[in-house]
Amino acid sequence: MSTANIYKIMDDPNSLDIDVERVRRDFPMLSQRVHGVPLVYLDNAASTHKPTLVIDAIRRVYEQDYSNIHRGVHELSQRLTMQYEEAREKIRVFLNARSRAEIVFTYGTTDSINLVAQTFGRANIGKGDEILISEMEHHSNIVPWQLLCEQTGATLKVIPFNDQGNLAMSDVEALLSERTKLVALVHVSNALGTINPIGPIIKLAHDAGAKVLVDGAQAVAHMKTDVQKSDVDFYAFSGHKVFGPTGIGVLYGKEDLLEAMPPWRGGGDMIRTVTFEKTTYADLPYKFEAGTPNIAGGIGLGAAIDYVHDIGLKHINHYENSLLAYMTRQLLNVEWLKIIGNAPCKSGAISFMIEGVHHNDLGQYIDHLGVAIRTGHHCAQPVMQHYGVTGTARASLAFYNNTQDIDRFIEALEKAKKFLL
Ligand code: PLP
C-alpha cells in the first residue's frame, strides 16, 4: 500500500525542512521512558526504530492475508504473493535498478555478501586472483572474503585509510591489478561515518577489469542510492537499518552477473524442475531464494521504503547533515573528548573516546540517564587496531533525532565525566 498523499511532512514543497515532532509521533518506541527519563536513541547505526506504518503492515500480514506465497492457487496465497512482489518493485525503484530480476531478497547485508562470495566468488575467483577490500570494513565484508580465499587460494588485499578516516585514490589505484577480480567496499563506514567515493572507485575497478560489491548497510537510510548511476555490480543492505524489520535484506546484482552465477542454497522455490538425475533452476531472482522467505519482513521493508519515500531522501539527507554538523560542533566544544574519524564527508555516526574512561562504562552510565549509544569495536576490529584502541563510543543519527537529543547526550557526557574520572 502506498502512503502517497496520506503523509505530508512539508507544507512548503520547496523547503528541505522535516517536521521532526510529527515524524517522532510515528515511532511508538521513541515516546517511552528508560530508567525513568525520556529515551534519547542515538544507536541508529546498529538498528533503526520502526514507524507505525511498518508495524501495521506486518500486523496486517498475520491478521488478514497470511499464507505461504508463490505456490498457492488460493486467494490468500495470491494476495500475499502480490504484496511481496510489490515490495520487491518498491526496492527496485528505491535503488533505481533496471529490473525486479536484479533484486534478491536475503536475510540482511551479511547474508547478501556471503551469497556473492559463495556464488560469484566460487565461480570466478581462483588461486592467484585477488580480492580488494578496505581497512574500514565491517566484519561482514571481511570474513566472507577470508573464507573464500581459504577455499580458493585467492589473496585478500586491503586498502588502508589515513588517520582522518579517508581512503586515498592513489592507494586504490596502486592496489588494483589484472589479478583483482573483485573490490568489496563499504559505502558508509559504521565505525567512522566516512562516506567513501564509490563512483570513482567503481570506475577505477572496472577499468582494471574487476567487479565491485558495495556494502550499503549504513548508506541507504541516509542518502539516495542509484545503482545505475554508480554502475555498481552488487549492492547489499539490511531492512532493519532503514526502518524495516530484522531478518530481511537485499542483494542488488546486475542481471547478466546474477544470471551467470550458480545458485547457493538449494531447496523449494529456487527450482524449475527436479529429477534425481538433474535439477534446473528458477528464473531470477528466485534462483537465489530457496525456501519459504521472510514474507512479512519483505512486505514490512516495502512499507518502510514507502515511508522514507514520502519524507524524501533529499529532505532526510539535508536534515541529517545539519544535525550531524550540530552534533560535531557540540562534541568539538568538549575539550576532554576525542573524535575518532574526521573525514570531511561523513554521514550519520560519530565515534569518540574520553581519555581515562572505558567506553563500556561510559555507555552504561549514560544509559541510566536515558541515552542509548553504542560502545565497543562496532564489528570493525581493524578500525580499532588502526587507532590502537579496543573500542570507542559511537552516537549515530536518524531523521527522527533532534537537537534536544544531542543536548541531552552532551549533558549526559558531562555528568559521566564528573562521575567516572
Ligand atoms: N555492514 C555495515 C557497514 C554495517 O554497519 C553492518 C551492521 O552494523 C553490517 C554490514 C551487517 O549488517 P547485518 O547485521 O544487518 O547483516
Side-chain angles (χ1 to χ4, degrees):
M1 187 185 84
S2 168
T3 58
N5 301 326
I6 63 166
Y7 195 88
K8 284 257 177 284
I9 290 193
M10 287 78 60
D11 293 320
D12 169 7
N14 296 317
S15 154
L16 284 175
D17 288 341
I18 285 182
D19 183 345
V20 186
E21 285 323 302
R22 223 155 128 186
V23 167
R24 287 174 79 85
R25 289 200 289 275
D26 289 339
F27 290 81
M29 280 288 299
L30 295 178
S31 57
Q32 69 180 280
R33 297 172 87 83
V34 170
H35 303 298
V37 280
L39 169 69
V40 171
Y41 187 77
L42 294 174
D43 193 18
N44 295 288
S47 204
T48 53
H49 287 300
K50 321 302 168 201
T52 307
L53 186 93
V54 169
I55 299 166
D56 286 349
I58 297 167
R59 183 196 303 277
R60 257 197 320 277
V61 168
Y62 291 117
E63 279 184 358
Q64 294 176 22
D65 300 317
Y66 187 70
S67 172
N68 210 330
I69 56 168
H70 289 151
R71 19 196 146 157
V73 291
H74 57 77
E75 161 70 17
L76 293 184
S77 178
Q78 302 222 341
R79 215 193 274 165
L80 209 60
T81 300
M82 207 168 77
Q83 290 176 34
Y84 191 70
E85 293 304 324
E86 273 172 11
R88 196 189 305 272
E89 172 62 13
K90 289 172 190 174
I91 295 159
R92 183 197 71 73
V93 173
F94 184 63
L95 296 179
N96 192 28
R98 284 169 205 83
S99 123
R100 283 197 300 120
E102 298 179 316
I103 305 298
V104 179
F105 277 121
T106 64
Y107 300 118
T109 309
T110 306
D111 193 43
S112 300
I113 296 172
N114 277 280
L115 192 163
V116 176
Q118 291 303 313
T119 59
F120 175 85
R122 289 276 202 138
N124 295 287
I125 299 175
K127 198 166 169 50
D129 290 336
E130 291 176 359
I131 299 162
L132 191 55
I133 62 172
S134 87
E135 193 188 359
M136 67 173 84
E137 299 308 315
H138 187 281
H139 297 163
S140 63
N141 204 22
I142 301 174
V143 185
W145 308 116
Q146 287 175 325
L147 289 170
L148 181 68
C149 287
E150 278 168 21
Q151 289 156 354
T152 61
T155 304
L156 192 64
K157 295 248 166 153
V158 181
I159 311 161
F161 64 80
N162 63 19
D163 287 349
Q164 249 198 332
N166 275 328
L167 301 177
M169 294 304 276
S170 53
D171 287 331
V172 180
E173 260 175 293
L175 283 159
L176 280 167
S177 76
E178 73 281 358
R179 288 187 297 279
T180 316
K181 290 288 176 293
L182 185 85
V183 177
L185 182 70
V186 71
H187 195 167
V188 175
S189 158
N190 65 313
L192 300 170
T194 307
I195 305 174
N196 282 318
I198 59 161
I201 294 178
I202 291 167
K203 169 98 182 51
L204 279 179
H206 284 170
D207 289 349
K211 302 295 180 207
V212 182
L213 174 142
V214 170
D215 168 356
Q218 296 296 340
V220 289
H222 306 286
M223 60 196 70
K224 172 73 191 148
T225 301
D226 185 329
V227 292
Q228 290 193 60
K229 199 164 152 200
S230 68
D231 200 24
V232 69
D233 300 293
F234 301 104
Y235 197 92
F237 75 90
S238 302
H240 70 99
K241 293 187 198 281
V242 58
F243 317 103
T246 51
I248 188 81
V250 170
L251 172 68
Y252 158 82
K254 283 183 182 161
E255 193 165 348
D256 57 333
L257 293 175
L258 292 178
E259 200 65 74
M261 281 155 52
W264 180 26
R265 298 191 176 102
D269 242 22
M270 52 78 73
I271 55 91
R272 188 188 301 277
T273 59
V274 178
T275 65
F276 288 118
E277 289 71 41
K278 185 169 172 55
T279 291
T280 58
Y281 303 116
D283 290 337
L284 291 176
Y286 309 108
K287 181 172 87 172
F288 294 109
E289 296 182 354
T292 300
N294 182 352
I295 306 166
I299 292 168
L301 176 56
I305 285 174
D306 280 340
Y307 186 84
V308 167
H309 177 78
D310 274 4
I311 295 176
L313 271 166
K314 203 163 110 187
H315 295 85
I316 290 173
N317 189 254
H318 183 265
Y319 173 74
E320 284 185 1
N321 283 345
S322 61
L323 204 58
L324 184 69
Y326 180 78
M327 184 158 79
T328 307
R329 274 198 308 277
Q330 299 303 99
L331 287 172
L332 285 172
N333 282 339
V334 183
E335 73 279 359
W336 35 265
L337 178 149
K338 185 172 165 212
I339 294 180
I340 307 288
N342 294 294
C345 282
K346 281 175 74 165
S347 166
I350 300 185
S351 263
F352 62 94
M353 299 180 60
I354 299 174
E355 178 115 18
V357 176
H358 194 278
H359 44 269
N360 285 345
D361 294 340
L362 176 69
Q364 277 176 7
Y365 187 87
I366 70 170
D367 173 56
H368 279 85
L369 302 171
V371 181
I373 60 164
R374 187 67 149 208
T375 61
H377 54 61
H378 316 296
C379 295
Q381 286 186 9
V383 174
M384 303 300 124
Q385 286 149 17
H386 179 105
Y387 292 102
V389 298
T390 55
T392 67
R394 179 189 70 191
S396 54
L397 301 169
F399 60 81
Y400 46 59
N401 290 121
N402 55 23
T403 52
Q404 289 96 294
D405 285 342
I406 293 166
D407 295 344
R408 285 259 322 273
F409 163 53
I410 301 286
E411 272 169 37
L413 292 179
E414 302 270 1
K415 286 186 185 155
K417 191 218 169 206
K418 281 196 192 113
F419 186 82
L420 295 170
L421 257 185

